[in-house]
Amino acid sequence: MKKLIFAFTALCSSLLSSAQISGNINYEETVHYPEQTISVGATADRNLYINIKGMLNVKPDVLIATFSVTQTGKSAQEAHELMDKRIKTATAAMQALKGAQIYVDMISCVPLYQTQVEQKIFSKKTYNEVPAGFELKKNIQIRLTDPALMDELMAIAAEQEIYDLVKVDYTVLRMEELKKELMAKAQKLVLEKIKFQETLLGSSLTGTDRTYNDGFKVFLPTEMYKRYTAYRNNSITGGVNTNRFNAADKNTSLFYQPVMDKEFDFIINPGILEPSVQILYQVQLTILRDKEKDKKPNKEYILVSPDGQFKTLPLQP
């Protein structure tokens, strides 16, 4: 009996652990997974089409982080003085980071207004907007070559009450070289598929006319983050008066969702751990088969004269 209970417990633990491997993302109702079947249909012509899709994952060479800084003051001069003090202190510490380059971008300086009530003896109240101060906005742009320094960068900014990390741009300096690497790999696979086609067809494709189309697409980590909320609905709320029910705030999070590598003929640098720049390449080769071979040979009638000369007789269609 103990062995039976132990086996049942182990089975349940195994099932639970296997389910958790998929992660909490499967609780999100908006997650849809694509059809996993392969559809291969016959072409309407005798041409041969060879498609090769490849992807290359690469770590970015440069990161540019943009922080937004806001400062208010009773006057424009006061706002500028307070802003400059915060930015100079922050940038001085940021410049100590290895390879950091900094640029401060002026965004806006606009007046702030508040409402003032004017009460007149023989009329109703009048509400007037009057200047109450100034709001100054600037952006700090920091160029880094080491992504590991982002934590230190955030800590330095937070010391000066700079919390708004607007975005992080990713740059690959050797993009042309990487695209050539993708094209060379795709070319090799195209030639292999041509040999495969020749084996299946039992005939050579040498000398056939060919056309091709190709194209690239690049995905940056900034545009590949998805939002999800991990929670289960409370079944008790079905019979509860909604006016007396206070729902808890659900934590919304983000996760990095790269282009999945399940539909590519080849992957260069697969399974990279950190968010990366993904370069996609596709080439389609069209081999134009000779249609003249499919036509039936035309019949000819040749007249041989008594003196041994040959004459082709025209045939009526």
Side-chain angles (χ1 to χ4, degrees):
M1 182 66 180
K2 291 182 178 180
K3 292 183 179 180
L4 181 60
I5 295 175
F6 176 78
F8 178 75
T9 305
L11 177 60
C12 291
S13 300
S14 175
L15 292 174
L16 289 173
S17 62
S18 297
Q20 183 58 25
I21 291 175
S22 64
N24 293 334
I25 184 59
N26 285 325
Y27 287 117
E28 185 74 14
E29 295 180 357
T30 58
V31 175
H32 301 286
Y33 294 98
E35 182 65 36
Q36 297 179 348
T37 58
I38 298 176
S39 177
V40 178
T43 58
D45 51 35
R46 298 187 69 253
N47 296 334
L48 297 179
Y49 300 93
I50 298 177
N51 283 283
I52 295 294
K53 294 174 63 178
M55 181 170 65
L56 185 149
N57 299 315
V58 60
K59 296 180 181 180
D61 299 308
V62 174
L63 278 71
I64 299 179
T66 301
F67 287 89
S68 178
V69 189
T70 303
Q71 180 65 58
T72 58
K74 294 182 180 179
S75 64
Q77 181 179 358
E78 180 184 10
H80 277 284
E81 290 176 353
L82 293 174
M83 171 77 81
D84 290 343
K85 183 179 179 180
R86 294 170 61 194
I87 290 181
K88 286 181 179 179
T89 304
T91 54
M94 291 175 180
Q95 286 176 344
L97 300 177
K98 181 180 178 181
Q101 298 179 8
I102 300 172
Y103 176 78
V104 179
D105 188 16
M106 175 66 183
I107 302 301
S108 64
C109 182
V110 295
L112 300 175
Y113 294 90
Q114 65 182 12
T115 304
Q116 187 179 72
V117 181
E118 182 180 358
Q119 179 66 57
K120 297 182 180 180
I121 299 176
F122 300 105
S123 63
K124 297 181 180 180
K125 293 181 180 180
T126 302
Y127 297 89
N128 301 318
E129 282 189 339
V130 296
F134 288 85
E135 180 185 71
L136 178 64
K137 288 182 177 291
K138 291 185 179 182
N139 286 344
I140 305 176
Q141 298 177 183
I142 306 99
R143 184 181 189 272
L144 297 173
T145 56
D146 185 2
L149 297 176
M150 281 299 301
D151 288 342
E152 296 183 43
L153 192 65
M154 292 289 294
I156 293 172
E159 290 178 358
Q160 300 303 318
E161 298 181 352
I162 301 173
Y163 308 110
D164 188 4
L165 177 59
V166 179
K167 62 174 183 173
V168 178
D169 294 325
Y170 298 78
T171 302
V172 176
L173 301 179
R174 48 197 180 95
M175 183 65 73
E176 183 178 357
E177 176 185 342
L178 295 174
K179 286 184 175 181
K180 288 181 179 179
E181 184 179 355
L182 274 170
M183 293 173 66
K185 179 67 175 178
Q187 179 184 10
K188 181 180 178 181
L189 291 182
V190 167
L191 296 177
E192 290 180 359
K193 280 200 172 184
I194 291 177
K195 292 182 179 179
F196 179 71
Q197 294 278 6
E198 290 177 336
T199 303
L200 292 180
L201 298 173
S203 61
S204 175
L205 298 175
T206 304
T208 54
D209 293 334
R210 304 176 185 184
T211 62
Y212 82 96
N213 295 309
D214 67 344
F216 289 93
K217 183 173 286 187
V218 179
F219 291 97
L220 302 177
T222 304
E223 55 191 347
M224 301 305 291
Y225 279 87
K226 306 297 181 183
R227 178 181 300 176
Y228 87 106
T229 304
Y231 73 97
R232 295 297 300 271
N233 291 326
N234 192 339
S235 60
I236 300 177
T237 58
V240 175
N241 186 351
T242 56
N243 295 327
R244 300 181 62 185
F245 179 78
N246 297 321
D249 292 334
K250 308 302 189 300
N251 182 31
T252 299
S253 183
L254 297 174
F255 67 97
Y256 174 63
Q257 177 59 67
V259 177
M260 303 185 76
D261 57 2
K262 61 181 182 177
E263 296 183 358
F264 292 88
D265 296 282
F266 67 93
I267 310 292
I268 299 177
N269 195 18
I272 194 167
L273 181 60
E274 64 187 77
S276 307
V277 177
Q278 296 183 290
I279 309 172
L280 280 59
Y281 176 68
Q282 181 175 0
V283 57
Q284 175 178 286
L285 178 70
T286 303
I287 300 177
L288 307 175
R289 304 286 300 277
D290 187 5
K291 297 183 179 181
E292 294 297 329
K293 296 180 180 179
D294 295 337
K295 296 182 179 179
K296 296 182 180 180
N298 294 327
K299 293 182 179 180
E300 293 182 345
Y301 289 91
I302 300 176
L303 176 64
V304 181
S305 62
D307 56 358
Q309 296 184 5
F310 297 90
K311 184 180 180 180
T312 302
L313 298 180
L315 298 178
Q316 296 295 330

